[in-house]
Amino acid sequence: MLVKRNFIVHRVYNSLRTKIPPLNSHMQFLYESVLENDMWKLLWIPPVIAMLNREIHLRAYWRSVLRYCEWGNLQALLDEHVHFLLESLGLMGKTPEEQLLCITESLHQAVTLRGSQTPIHTYTKEGKKESFHVNCRYALRFGNTKFETDDKSAVRAVGVREAFNSPFRPFVLASTSIGQEGLDFHGWCHAITHWNLPSNPVNLEQREGRIHRYKGHAVRKNIAQSYGLSILKKFHKDTDSVFFEDPWKVLFQYASENRRNGGSDLIPFWIFEEGNAKIERRIPLFPLSNMDFLISSLQKKLARYRLTFGQPHQEDLLALFADISPDEIRKRTLRLQPSEILSEENFSALEIQVKD
C-alpha cells in the first residue's frame, strides 16, 4: 500500500517540478513527506472509501484510488491549482524554497481541514423541539453563528477559506454578510446563491465580486475550453520541450496575444467570455415572497450603479438617474475611447498630416 501512495505524491510533485527550479534533496524530502501523509488522508476517510467502492468496482482500494485520479485528471488539476497559488499567495518573486514551503503549507491546510458538527432542529407532531448533530465535510459554514473573536475561531475561518479556494472539499460554503467584503473565493468557484437579497446594488456587487476576480474559475474554464490542448500541443511542437514551464502561463499568454484590437486590458485575466462558463447568480424564488419584485428592481439599480462606478458621490448621481432607464443613460454618455486602434503606418500618416 505504501508503494501505491507514492503515485499521488508523484503527481503533486510533478506539478511543481515544471514551475519551481530544482530543489536540494532535503527540501524535496520534506515536501514529499508532508504531501504523502496529507494527500492520502484526503482519500482514506469512510465517506470517500464508500463512494469509491460504490462507483469503481475494483477489489483493491488502491486501484480504485488510481482509477479515480485518472478519471479526474489529477495532474491537470494540480497544474492549475499550483499556477493559481503562485500568484494568489504572491510567490512569483520568492526563492524556490520559499515557494515550496508556502505552497506545501497551503495544500496542508486545505487537505487536512476537519469537518464540523452542525446542529439540526426539528419538531414533532406534538410541537416538541428535537435537536441532533450531523457531521459535515463537503459543505461548511464560514464563520460562526455568534460573533466570536477568539484566536481559535479566526484560525478556523482561515482554514475554511483556504480549503474552499482549493479543488478539494468543501464544495459548498455557507456564509453571512461577513463573507461579502474583502475576501476572495474565486479560485474554484463561479456560482453564488443569494438566500436573501440586499437592499442596495453596492452590496450585491460586493457579494458577486468575491467570485469574479483575477484569473477566476470561470475565466480559466473558458480559456481551457477555447484553447486547451490544441495550443499546448502547438507550443510543445514549436519549442521541442518535454515539460512545459507552466501550461497555464502558456494559455494566458496566448489569449493575451490574440486579444481583439481595441480589447480591454482586463481580457483575458479578469474577463474572458469565449466559452460556456460565466458567473452564475442563483436566487431561490419562494412562493408568495417579494423576491421576484426585488430582483427586478435591484437589477435596474445595479445597471445604473455600474454606469456611475468610480464617480464621486455615487448616491447623489444614482438618485438623479432613478427615473431614467439605463439605455437612455448610455445614449447620453460621452465616450472618450478611440473608435479604433491606429496601426503604426496609420499613426505615421496622421502625424505627417498634423505637421503639414
Side-chain angles (χ1 to χ4, degrees), residues 3-31:
V3 176
K4 308 308 175 185
R5 290 169 59 176
N6 290 335
F7 169 82
I8 301 176
V9 180
H10 174 71
R11 294 288 90 187
V12 182
Y13 179 70
N14 203 38
S15 295
L16 272 178
R17 187 175 60 173
T18 59
K19 303 169 184 61
I20 296 179
L23 304 162
N24 59 55
S25 57
H26 174 73
M27 292 296 297
Q28 181 176 338
F29 175 78
L30 172 64
Y31 170 73

Side-chain angles (χ1 to χ4, degrees), residues 186-209:
H186 64 294
W188 291 86
C189 174
H190 64 277
I192 180 172
T193 299
H194 299 275
W195 181 253
N196 56 13
L197 291 173
S199 58
N200 61 78
V202 179
N203 288 342
L204 182 65
E205 192 80 339
Q206 286 286 351
R207 287 186 186 183
E208 298 182 349

Side-chain angles (χ1 to χ4, degrees), residues 196-297:
N196 56 13
L197 291 173
S199 58
N200 61 78
V202 179
N203 288 342
L204 182 65
E205 192 80 339
Q206 286 286 351
R207 287 186 186 183
E208 298 182 349
R210 300 309 94 210
I211 59 173
H212 192 183
R213 314 295 294 171
Y214 178 78
K215 289 188 178 182
H217 191 221
V219 170
R220 300 199 309 273
K221 290 188 70 173
N222 285 339
I223 285 183
Q225 180 182 348
S226 300
Y227 304 127
L229 288 178
S230 60
I231 298 303
L232 293 178
K233 289 179 179 178
K234 182 178 182 299
F235 177 83
H236 170 70
K237 182 179 180 180
D238 293 344
T239 59
D240 194 25
S241 60
V242 179
F243 294 103
F244 302 128
E245 177 186 354
D246 181 345
W248 282 96
K249 181 180 179 181
V250 173
L251 291 175
F252 273 107
Q253 181 177 350
Y254 183 85
S256 179
E257 293 173 351
N258 288 270
R259 183 172 53 214
R260 294 192 303 269
N261 290 335
S264 169
D265 290 339
L266 297 176
I267 302 172
F269 305 102
W270 287 78
I271 304 170
F272 192 81
E273 299 178 342
E274 299 176 19
N276 298 328
K278 61 181 180 179
I279 302 299
E280 299 179 13
R281 175 194 299 159
R282 301 174 182 175
I283 302 173
L285 299 178
F286 302 105
L288 305 180
S289 72
N290 62 347
M291 297 281 279
D292 198 4
F293 168 77
L294 285 177
I295 186 58
S296 177
S297 173

Side-chain angles (χ1 to χ4, degrees), residues 284-342:
L285 299 178
F286 302 105
L288 305 180
S289 72
N290 62 347
M291 297 281 279
D292 198 4
F293 168 77
L294 285 177
I295 186 58
S296 177
S297 173
L298 200 56
Q299 283 176 332
K300 295 178 181 178
K301 293 180 181 178
L302 185 61
R304 298 187 182 100
Y305 167 73
R306 287 173 175 168
L307 290 173
T308 63
F309 187 75
Q311 301 292 331
H313 306 293
Q314 295 176 4
E315 294 80 4
D316 297 338
L317 197 55
L318 283 172
L320 180 64
F321 290 159
D323 298 327
I324 306 176
S325 67
D327 292 336
E328 185 64 26
I329 295 175
R330 292 189 182 93
K331 292 179 181 179
R332 303 182 185 184
T333 302
L334 177 63
R335 296 183 178 275
L336 301 179
Q337 181 181 0
S339 58
E340 62 178 350
I341 302 298
L342 294 176

Side-chain angles (χ1 to χ4, degrees), residues 112-174:
T112 59
L113 180 71
R114 293 179 177 271
S116 64
Q117 286 195 337
T118 301
I120 303 296
H121 307 290
T122 62
Y123 291 88
T124 63
K125 294 181 179 180
E126 294 76 18
K128 182 180 178 181
K129 182 179 179 180
E130 294 183 347
S131 302
F132 60 94
H133 290 78
V134 294
N135 292 324
C136 296
R137 292 182 179 272
Y138 301 100
L140 296 177
R141 65 184 183 186
F142 182 73
N144 295 314
T145 53
K146 298 181 180 180
F147 294 97
E148 299 179 357
T149 57
D150 58 325
D151 294 340
K152 185 177 180 180
S153 299
V155 171
R156 173 68 179 180
V158 172
V160 171
R161 188 181 64 194
E162 288 278 354
F164 187 72
N165 276 331
S166 76
F168 312 113
R169 60 178 178 84
F171 305 116
V172 176
L173 190 68

